Amino acid sequence: MTIDTGQPTSQEVTEPAQEEPRHIWRMVAIWAVLAVVLDLLFYFLVGPHVPPGDMTSAASENQDDFTILFLIALPVMIGVWVYMAYSIVIWRASRKGAPEPVGGPQARSNLGVQVGWIVTTTVIVLGLFVFGTVELVVNAGSGGGEGPNPIWTPTSASVLPVQVIAQQWKFTYRYPTFGGFESQQLVIPNGTTIAFHVTSLDVTHDFWAYQLSIKADANPQIDNVAYTTTRQAGSVTVRCDELCGLWHGAMFNYGSVVSKTAFNIWAKATERATAANTKLLPPFAWTYVPDANGADGGYYPDNVDPYSNSEVYGATPAKS
Ligand code: CUA
């Protein structure tokens, strides 16, 4: 492709050019080539690494959605950059001493450009609206908390319930199908649909298991359900993502997705090992009312037992 430098020759200055290049079509051609090449590069090189990865169904769907949005956005960005770069290169002021560039005829409007602009932007915005709405509806268990009665539920035959109990300032996990034991560590089996039941004992927290692409608010007295299906073993980072007090920044822990066999061994062993503690806990429920006297698990811990690892939620106050 030959590039017209756009610098007017002495001939062009004296008599207007008959052979002015079709700038618009040149820009369209450059844009089309760059858009296709960069979209393909993004799709194949970046797409598989887009956060949050593909450890669960929800994570994969998030990754696909982000990739699709980027594939649409990239050509728009390239369109702006190509126009800018083309203008700078082709219509720049000539080198020192050369005659000033001459402006073209006055252009008041261009129906094609106007209609094209309105149609293109309308199609993109309405398309994204439809895409976003459909993605929210069809992906049952999209990773966000759907409240106590989710409208879209997974189709899996078996779903493992895991309760996430947030409090200032830690997460604990309760396994109702294994005797209701509590764990400081989140362990879940691979290849399994998990129903996270997220609740809080005090203020509003937010359970954000990054690699699982699960993010659900933890509200006191609310059982907020979020579904996903695990697809890979690996480690998981859990963070609180709602400002919840002084040690909000320290409210995180780690978990893991392990094989079904390893999970069953762990769950049964932990159920046995913690049986004595489990007896002290209130019976399993979807929400809990914190201890009104403020000791262990109360709204305002009174440091009676600051090092306890097994808080006693809703325990009857000791007789004095
Ligand atoms: Cu809990 Cu922030």
Side-chain angles (χ1 to χ4, degrees):
M1 185 170 69
T2 56
I3 297 287
D4 187 333
T5 60
Q7 293 182 24
T9 61
S10 56
Q11 192 188 11
E12 279 171 333
V13 170
T14 47
E15 51 184 88
Q18 301 296 315
E19 295 297 316
E20 179 72 7
R22 303 291 300 273
H23 294 293
I24 185 74
W25 293 114
R26 282 177 165 195
M27 280 187 256
V28 167
I30 296 169
W31 167 80
V33 170
L34 280 178
V36 169
V37 168
L38 289 178
D39 260 5
L40 285 173
L41 286 176
F42 183 87
Y43 182 79
F44 287 107
L45 297 183
V46 184
H49 307 288
V50 165
D54 52 0
M55 200 164 173
T56 63
S57 56
S60 281
E61 281 152 10
N62 284 186
Q63 192 181 56
D64 290 348
D65 288 352
F66 186 89
T67 301
I68 288 167
L69 293 181
F70 209 95
L71 293 180
I72 295 168
L74 204 51
V76 175
M77 190 183 75
I78 291 167
V80 175
W81 284 7
V82 163
Y83 182 81
M84 196 169 68
Y86 190 93
S87 304
I88 290 171
V89 172
I90 305 299
W91 295 309
R92 71 184 184 279
S94 308
R95 66 189 181 284
K96 271 183 188 171
E100 283 290 308
V102 181
Q106 197 173 50
R108 290 197 176 278
S109 68
N110 184 310
L111 191 65
V113 169
Q114 287 164 330
V115 170
W117 179 263
I118 291 167
V119 168
T120 307
T121 51
T122 303
V123 165
I124 290 176
V125 170
L126 290 183
L128 289 175
F129 165 71
V130 172
F131 173 74
T133 308
V134 169
E135 285 294 274
L136 276 177
V137 173
V138 297
N139 293 330
S142 56
E146 298 175 68
N149 301 299
I151 300 170
W152 296 284
T153 51
T155 51
S156 316
S158 65
V159 175
L160 175 74
V162 176
Q163 186 172 49
V164 179
I165 304 169
Q167 64 180 300
Q168 290 171 317
W169 286 276
K170 66 177 181 180
F171 291 105
T172 40
Y173 308 96
R174 212 166 169 185
Y175 294 77
T177 49
F178 291 86
F181 76 79
E182 266 195 13
S183 166
Q184 305 290 312
Q185 194 194 5
L186 174 66
V187 180
I188 50 174
N190 194 7
T192 306
T193 299
I194 316 281
F196 288 100
H197 291 263
V198 183
T199 190
S200 167
L201 297 181
D202 39 44
V203 299
T204 302
H205 303 266
D206 186 284
F207 172 66
W208 180 28
Y210 172 77
Q211 290 85 349
L212 305 180
S213 205
I214 292 282
K215 197 169 173 303
D217 274 356
N219 297 295
Q221 308 296 297
I222 303 282
D223 171 34
N224 195 9
V225 184
Y227 296 104
T228 197
T229 302
T230 49
R231 288 180 176 172
Q232 281 171 35
S235 55
V236 176
T237 312
V238 176
R239 290 191 172 279
C240 179
D241 199 41
E242 187 70 50
L243 189 59
C244 58
L246 189 61
W247 295 108
H248 157 72
M251 188 168 165
F252 62 91
N253 61 15
Y254 301 96
S256 49
V257 179
V258 299
S259 71
K260 284 180 184 174
T261 316
F263 172 78
N264 275 311
I265 291 169
W266 173 84
K268 282 171 184 159
T270 312
E271 183 181 351
R272 272 195 306 274
T274 58
N277 284 348
T278 307
K279 277 187 199 155
L280 298 172
L281 299 174
F284 180 84
W286 297 117
T287 63
Y288 303 94
V289 180
D291 186 357
N293 72 0
D296 289 340
Y299 283 92
Y300 303 104
D302 60 3
N303 292 330
V304 166
D305 184 9
Y307 305 109
S308 168
N309 278 330
S310 57
E311 308 272 13
V312 185
Y313 311 122
T316 316
K319 296 240 165 68
S320 53

